[in-house]
Amino acid sequence: MPRFLVLSLYSLLCACLPSLTWAQGIHQLGYCDDDLTGATAYGINAEVRLSGAIHLPLSTMQRYKGGRVTRIRVALGEGVEKPSVWIRTSLTESSKVSQSISQPVSGWNEVELNRPLTIDGSDLFIGFTFTQPAGIKGILTKGEGNEHTSLMGIDNEWDDFHNSIGILCIQAIVEADLPEHDLGVIAVETDSIFYQESGQVKVTATVENLGTADTEGYYLIWNIDGQDVNADKILYEAPAPGEVFTISKSFGLSSLSEGTHQAIVKLVGGGKDEKADNNICEATFYTYESSYIRNVLLEHFTSLPCVNCPPVDQLLESVISARYDVIWTSHHVGYRNDEFTLAASEPYVKFGVIGNPMIMLDRYAIDGETPAFTIGSYSAEKLQATIDATAARPAFVQLDADLGGDRNELTAIVKGEARNFFQALYPRATVNVFIVEDDVLANGTQAGDSNKKRHNNIVRAILTRQTGDLPSWKEDNTFRLTYTTEADASWDLSKLRVVAFITAAADRATGYPTGEVLNAFQASFLRENITETMANDRPARWYTIDGRQTDTRHLTPGLYIIQDGKSIRKTIVR
């Protein structure tokens, strides 16, 4: 069931502002024109602190590097309170510039900044914030937007609304004297971040005419780590002022050692080039000899009152029951609380959860702008392919875990091992530990499926901080952590498992509690779940990691538990 914000709207007709004629060196940046005729006003049926922003990406701002943002123009509706404008380098960080609108009016409001911002060529977010009384419609939009045009924050929770509200009427006024002749490489990208040493890297360079006049053709020199690998013999035709052109080349990696590398592209020629500092650009990538087996962490946002959840449960079960590389956990948050709701799961709603059912795979933005996404329209084949793509990403760390003890004290031991370069890539990677219970009988009924009495994958406890715990790495790139907790009287110990995973550090630009999951592991409460057994002349029994006995003639790749006499051990089938 979706949890949504109710937006109300009406058409706003305003007198046209006169077209602005700028002096030489004054530039108007934004996605809307000055004419507000036919603009639409939006509001929310509640009193909130509301923000809107547009994104001016690097590809735009490189052109104005060295200039200054001196004014901001925003179009607002009537009735907004305490409005201000601001400039940020990310939506969730502090503003570089912030200034109130002293006497807001309906229509365009222009604010001359007391402290103009000097442009360094990086991304900028230009926005406004105001308090909106219930029913006020203070946001004006016009036309069809894209991912840069319509960012909205409700009580500082940001999302992209371009598919529903159009372009926000925001403009930045920039003072910058653009050179007449300036051809530059504004971006270099690789088709991946990680490559096996025997693979190939595809490098794409973006060239832009940053000047105001046409210029001559140019050549490109491509190199890896400063060693020329392709000095182009092709004379490329220069793009027109303000236009871009992309060129791609592929290179073998067999000569590179494991670790960090730079793909570098240099532009030469281009006629009279008045700014040479943008003629070279680079991108970082990594090569590796081998990686670990990856287990995918699936976090399911569900609830008993969710009438749309049973079909998704069935889809997940049909796909995941046949896999040994997916670790399924369920957070009963994001719509309406129920008897399985754990307060410690609430912060994970910040990953983009706007209702139930939704899922995350490795907390990685796979299908959309946020890690959390819906799969109501997915077929089993599409979900399988999505998980396959997630599992195919290389893992440079692996975990092991055990869960034991009794009701008075459960003990979870988590161990990790990483490739030599892992800590350089992820210096603040954190360990996260869940206690999960399966086959739990609910007191209430499941909306949409009253026959469903038992529920699996329920997160019962989170033993680490919400952002995870920093491990103490040893010289051999290993760590060991121990956690204890008391078991609730209602828990069936034989149906508990520990889920441990390691995440990249949270990126402040996204506002998510942690970064992507780098690998995961789970283990059952072995002492009660697997008993000592002997069968004829076969002393060893094989079990899946959740304690189900399996036939060794039909093993698929994954982790297994072997019970041999009085010994219990784990093994991986590849």
Side-chain angles (χ1 to χ4, degrees):
M1 292 285 286
R3 184 184 68 181
F4 56 89
L5 297 165
V6 180
L7 297 179
S8 56
L9 60 95
Y10 63 77
S11 293
L12 180 75
L13 300 178
C14 298
C16 297
L17 289 176
S19 298
L20 298 176
T21 302
W22 302 111
Q24 180 68 30
I26 308 284
H27 312 274
Q28 180 176 292
L29 305 185
Y31 303 95
C32 63
D33 56 27
D34 295 333
D35 186 0
L36 296 180
T37 302
T40 301
Y42 286 85
I44 296 174
N45 295 332
E47 181 173 337
V48 293
R49 193 69 174 156
L50 198 59
S51 300
I54 61 173
H55 176 217
L56 300 176
L58 178 145
S59 57
T60 297
M61 299 315 299
Q62 279 288 321
R63 181 175 174 83
Y64 303 97
K65 186 175 181 179
R68 301 186 308 160
V69 181
T70 59
R71 282 172 279 170
I72 295 176
R73 304 180 76 231
V74 299
L76 302 174
E78 294 182 353
V80 302
E81 299 176 356
K82 299 179 181 179
S84 63
V85 295
W86 43 259
I87 305 172
R88 300 175 185 173
T89 53
S90 81
L91 290 175
T92 56
E93 292 187 356
S94 300
S95 299
K96 298 293 184 182
V97 173
S98 179
Q99 192 166 320
S100 62
I101 302 175
S102 57
Q103 295 181 322
V105 298
S106 176
W108 283 107
N109 294 261
E110 184 169 313
V111 179
E112 184 169 354
L113 300 177
N114 296 329
R115 294 188 302 110
L117 179 75
T118 299
I119 298 169
D120 62 9
S122 59
D123 297 34
L124 290 180
F125 292 85
I126 313 295
F128 60 80
T129 298
F130 56 75
T131 297
Q132 181 226 265
I136 292 298
K137 306 166 185 69
I139 291 181
L140 302 190
T141 71
K142 187 178 178 182
E144 294 185 4
N146 58 46
E147 66 270 22
H148 303 294
T149 67
S150 317
L151 304 165
M152 282 180 53
I154 301 167
D155 291 332
N156 211 34
E157 296 289 333
W158 286 92
D159 207 343
D160 178 4
F161 280 79
H162 81 268
N163 286 324
S164 55
I165 69 170
I167 300 171
L168 293 176
C169 297
I170 302 174
Q171 298 172 352
I173 308 305
V174 170
E175 294 183 7
D177 293 324
L178 302 183
E180 185 177 5
H181 300 99
D182 180 20
L183 201 60
V185 183
I186 64 167
V188 170
E189 299 175 316
T190 56
D191 58 336
S192 182
I193 299 175
F194 302 108
Y195 302 86
Q196 281 199 286
E197 293 175 348
S198 58
Q200 276 200 332
V201 56
K202 181 181 179 181
V203 183
T204 299
T206 301
V207 176
E208 181 176 0
N209 186 339
L210 300 164
T212 61
D214 291 332
T215 187
E216 299 177 14
Y218 62 94
Y219 297 92
L220 292 178
I221 298 175
W222 308 70
N223 72 62
I224 304 295
D225 298 337
Q227 302 297 315
D228 290 352
V229 291
N230 188 311
D232 249 334
K233 302 296 183 181
I234 302 173
L235 179 65
Y236 295 101
E237 182 179 348
E243 293 185 349
V244 299
F245 184 66
T246 59
I247 310 102
S248 298
K249 299 285 182 181
S250 295
F251 309 104
L253 301 172
S254 58
S255 63
L256 300 183
S257 60
E258 184 174 79
T260 307
H261 301 282
Q262 306 294 326
I264 307 168
V265 180
K266 181 179 181 181
L267 181 148
V268 295
K272 182 182 178 182
D273 194 344
E274 299 172 34
K275 291 182 67 177
D277 62 345
N278 55 22
N279 287 355
I280 188 168
C281 192
E282 62 185 45
T284 301
F285 66 94
Y286 305 89
T287 58
Y288 62 94
E289 180 182 351
S290 62
S291 60
Y292 298 107
I293 293 174
R294 176 183 285 274
N295 293 313
V296 176
L297 178 70
L298 186 153
E299 291 174 275
H300 182 201
F301 294 89
T302 186
S303 64
L304 297 182
C306 171
V307 71
N308 295 324
C309 286
V312 169
D313 294 346
Q314 293 170 13
L315 173 64
L316 290 172
E317 288 167 2
S318 69
V319 172
I320 296 171
S321 61
R323 305 184 67 118
Y324 292 94
D325 59 349
V326 178
I327 298 172
W328 186 353
T329 65
S330 291
H331 302 285
H332 282 243
V333 295
Y335 170 49
R336 287 165 56 188
N337 290 353
D338 61 29
E339 62 192 87
F340 299 135
T341 297
L342 182 69
S345 290
E346 286 287 354
Y348 302 128
V349 171
K350 294 181 180 179
F351 282 103
V353 179
I354 57 174
N356 293 159
M358 297 186 77
I359 69 169
M360 290 192 295
L361 296 174
D362 278 351
R363 300 185 179 179
Y364 184 71
I366 294 169
D367 189 0
E369 299 296 322
T370 64
F373 63 102
T374 59
I375 59 170
S377 62
Y378 274 46
S379 64
E381 291 74 18
K382 182 178 179 180
L383 179 58
Q384 190 81 265
T386 304
I387 296 174
D388 286 342
T390 307
R393 295 179 300 132
F396 304 117
V397 62
Q398 69 174 1
L399 299 175
D400 190 9
D402 286 302
L403 179 64
D406 52 33
R407 293 200 180 280
N408 294 323
E409 187 175 82
L410 291 175
T411 300
I413 299 174
V414 180
K415 294 176 283 187
E417 175 185 302
R419 300 287 295 172
N420 290 334
F421 56 88
F422 176 82
Q423 293 177 67
L425 286 177
Y426 306 104
R428 296 192 61 78
T430 58
V431 175
N432 304 258
V433 182
F434 293 173
I435 299 296
V436 177
E437 186 176 7
D438 295 309
D439 194 29
V440 182
L441 179 65
N443 295 320
T445 59
Q446 170 69 58
D449 184 1
S450 59
N451 293 321
K452 185 171 184 179
K453 307 296 184 182
R454 294 189 171 274
H455 299 264
N456 294 318
N457 315 302
I458 296 169
V459 177
R460 288 300 204 180
I462 297 176
L463 306 186
T464 47
R465 295 180 298 175
Q466 296 298 151
T467 55
D469 293 340
L470 282 169
S472 296
W473 292 93
K474 299 178 182 178
E475 291 185 1
D476 60 353
N477 294 309
T478 64
F479 70 82
R480 176 189 173 100
L481 295 170
T482 300
Y483 296 91
T484 60
T485 189
E486 184 179 343
D488 188 273
S490 65
W491 298 354
D492 184 340
L493 297 187
S494 69
K495 296 173 182 176
L496 293 183
R497 52 191 162 96
V498 58
V499 172
F501 55 99
I502 188 165
T503 61
D507 182 351
R508 290 184 63 189
T510 67
Y512 302 147
T514 64
E516 67 177 279
V517 175
L518 306 172
N519 212 342
F521 186 85
Q522 66 179 349
S524 299
F525 190 88
L526 299 181
R527 196 178 75 176
E528 292 190 16
N529 202 26
I530 299 177
T531 59
E532 181 181 336
T533 59
M534 299 288 284
N536 299 327
D537 58 345
R538 294 173 54 200
R541 294 288 185 98
W542 286 59
Y543 298 84
T544 62
I545 54 176
D546 59 358
R548 291 179 289 116
Q549 189 173 340
T550 188
D551 189 340
T552 57
R553 294 170 299 177
H554 305 291
L555 293 177
T556 57
L559 177 71
Y560 293 86
I561 301 162
I562 302 175
Q563 194 278 331
D564 183 6
K566 295 184 179 180
S567 163
I568 294 176
R569 64 187 187 277
K570 299 171 188 160
T571 188
I572 293 177
V573 175
R574 294 181 170 87

